[in-house]
Amino acid sequence: MLDTPEAVVEALRENHDRPHGTQRTVTAEELVEAAEVFDEPDTLVTALLELMTAYEFTGEQRKSPVVFARLLKLWDTAPKSFSAWEAHQVFWRFKWVTTSLLQVPEMPLATVRGWIDTMRQRYEEAGHGMQPVAAMRHHVAAHTGTGVDDAYDLWVTRPRTELSDCEACETRHRAWHRVAAGDDAGALDTWGPVLAGEQGCSEEPQMSQARALLPLLRLGRADEARSHHLTGYRRVRGSTGMQHEVGLHLEFCALSRNEGRGLEVLAENRPLFGATGAPLDRLGFLTGVEVLLARLVEDGHGETPVAGPPGRNWTADGLLAHVRAEADRLAAAFDARNGTTTVGDRRRERLARRPLLDEPLPLGLRTAAAPRTAAGAGAAPAAPAVAGPGTPGIPEDFVALVAEARRLNHLGHPGDTRLWARIAERLADGSAAHDDRVGPEELLRAELAEERAYRLRQKDEDAESGAELETAAGLYEELGMEWRALAARARALAWTTGEDDADAERDGAVRVRLGRLVREAERLEDEAPLTGEKPGEAEAAAGVDVAADRVLAHLTVLYADAYTAYQEAMRRAPEESGTAPERFREAVGRLRAEAERLGVPHQVANARQFVADEAGRRGDVALAESELRAALVDVEASDRPWRGSRPRALLAQIMLSRQEPAEAAELLHRALADAVRYDDADFPVAPTYSLLGHASSHLGDHAGAVRHLSEAAALFDRGGEHEDAAGVRLQLADVLAESGRQADAVAVLESLLSEESAAALDERMVAQIRLSLARGLRELEEYLPSAEEFLRLAGTVAGWEDDAPIRTLVTADTAIALALADRWEAAEAAYERAFTAHAEAPNPPLIVRMTREFARLTAAAREAEGVEDALAHLARADAVLDAVPADAEGFAVWYERGEVHYRRARVLTEAERFEEALAEAEAAIAVHEGGGEHGELPRAEAVRFAALVEGNGLGRTGDAIARLTTAAARCRRAGHPEAAQVLDALRQDYLARPRD
């Protein structure tokens, strides 16, 4: 019941702790009405200030001036009703009213300027400096585009006062002035302290992050733009007070070619369509929406469903027309009010911008793919963005097109893929017909069947692939091309070999048939030497180099045999005996020997790769490395440089396993560069980028790691491999967190837990993501969201009967998160559940950490009675440690026991039980002594705290100085100069104090 002024004040205090939003604003309005009942102006002042704050931060600036007018009247009639803080707020909020009046196009400009004159007068009467007044005049000039430079100079040349905007907000305005002048580089230099986190407030850095996105992209600083989108958007998402900033993030998505991400941002902010209390910010939001929708419609996606104002279903073109009409009207209203075209000009400038990148900027987020044009559905693979000397073109003449495809196919050049696709396309659409100059029609049909077989194989459609190869083999036989028929059948058999032992009978039959094909190849070679046969009729008509063609066919048969032997060997455990290893050595040895005899080094390289793979699986890393290095030499000798990408990627994996990330990164860069240069559409680009990100993180190149892992995740998503993409994003989040970008990491993890994303993942993968997210939120001190994630995770793992230790871990972390979120009743229940889980599946490190955290938080939250509760928690920690053997593997009992003593010392100190606290600190020192070199730093901290208890609590500064002198010298000897400096600083502080 709000029947007393005290009850209203208490309700105001509770409302102030709520997040900004509709509930807080409506409650603030109700509390003003409640305060008006009493003849207590001080209560009404507090209520009006709270209401004005709610309006300011929820995009209801249209209402703020009326509230402030009531405050100003109270200030004039009952100034003693204002506390010192409230009196300061009266003058501070003159600025809020100015910016609120600018937000409303119906408010005449003369009224806005008149208000600033009133502000100046009030400031002069109160003896305040004029810099804030000059700042307001600059805001009006920047908004109208009139007298901007003069107003800016008058503002920035005046000294700051206690009523000036905070440094972070002033930095934003100075930087934005430079952006408007076309000086992106200067703007970003100005923004430096805010974007680096050195300056901040309730509105910063998120407002500056949104404004800096396009300047960063324009200057090629894409990594920074990505980071500021990830972290900045999280801070403005769904906020009615940040409509303009949400619009800037939508614009960034469109201009960085992340339209899919933009549609998700739009959907998440659908309620903003109903926020009309700040028309100027609304115009900024609507213009950002329009930029995104215009990109979609321009690309032919006008019928794409999008999120718009509630009440109907929207398509991109329908919402675009709706948004454009309202935004045009608002811009025109502001320009009419201002008597200039500035607002409309800025809107038109935003709408005229084109994408700033040729390819989508990888954001590292799991997001919906942007819609693709229908015209591109059946198109041939795209050409590389930059054509290198090894990249073939696509001839327009059909005969030349077929001849070039055959030439590249004979070379094994990956660029033939696009040419065969183009040939099939032209035959299908009737833009070309068979031409006798390319040889028999059956030959071209066979070649196209082989190409289809290869594409089907890439999709794991082995049965369909084999059928196409059998078709090709039949056609080759009709043409008298026995070698090609043999090679096609060998590949068909090899590609049907299983990857497990589920069908051993089938695999045995494959081995038998392949053996017959190998013998048939030997018979054909005996009958006619490979290098001496004249071409047949079909070969001659097609211009085939018969000798080279038959050599390659012969080696293809041997390669197929080696491949099946390799698959069988890789299915066996490394230590398993039997015929598989011997067959593998025999088949691979035969391939290598024949390739060397016939002078085909790239097939020698293939044989070496088989050996390297098998050796690596057996743990013979040295052999694997030597074979791969030799394979690269063979590739160089083959004049087929495009074949080097795969062995390089394999060798890079070995280098990573040997902790040599620099060479691994070099190999991976070269592999990717060659794949692009030679148009190798089948090279595993996504896994290679993932490896490169891993190598970069080990090199300490966190920016490179983020870039490469983001690219890998996007590529995995594009290929529909969402589990792999999620695994990469987990690694990306780890890298971001390790590099101090925890908010970026949280944004990546949140994107993985959207309803659509999580549904595509394994339950345990989702659990790992949720655990990482919950811990990340805790690091950001977002304790309630962290607790909510831990609770969801606890519900998931509760049914994992086969993984009880995980339940203990999650329950303990959940208890800590709930305590940090000040949800004590739930926290204590989870705490007890954690001990129950520990009894079933012990996890001492987690349980002891939980008890220490509860001791710390309990002592802080419950004052006097909290001390005894905290000591009880630490007693339970002692009991847990007493049950753990001193030599327990993987658990430093000495460290945990020392930290329990240290925490007990701190708790006792807060209770001013200094002698007991000192004894506990000394116990911590003694225990950490047993940790050897690993115990030096925790020991030094325990010494520091013991000295604080001695010097500050017990007044024994002499003893404290002696303790610190000895400990600092020990730290220097142990190689910890920074710890020594901390101890020395406290020692110097004590030495400087007067002593009896």
Side-chain angles (χ1 to χ4, degrees), residues 20 178 188 211 230 242 246 361 594 957:
H20 288 294
R178 303 195 76 165
L188 291 169
R211 286 161 174 74
L230 295 181
M242 291 282 175
V246 172
L361 173 66
E594 281 294 279
T957 53

Side-chain angles (χ1 to χ4, degrees), residues 811-886:
T811 311
D813 264 338
T814 302
I816 294 171
L818 288 165
L820 287 167
D822 203 27
R823 299 295 194 268
W824 280 101
E825 185 176 347
E828 287 164 354
Y831 179 90
E832 294 302 333
R833 287 198 303 274
F835 268 99
T836 301
H838 173 69
E840 299 173 3
N843 195 331
L846 263 296
I847 294 297
V848 172
R849 182 170 70 85
M850 178 185 73
T851 57
R852 289 205 311 270
E853 274 294 280
F854 265 69
R856 178 180 72 83
L857 295 168
T858 301
R862 301 182 183 175
E863 299 178 354
E865 78 238 21
V867 171
E868 293 306 318
D869 290 342
L871 293 174
H873 288 307
L874 294 172
R876 295 187 77 170
D878 285 333
V880 171
L881 291 172
D882 287 343
V884 178

Side-chain angles (χ1 to χ4, degrees), residues 445-446 449 452 466-476:
R445 285 168 50 203
R452 286 194 300 274
E468 291 288 350
L469 284 169
E470 286 295 337
T471 297
L475 290 167
Y476 285 133

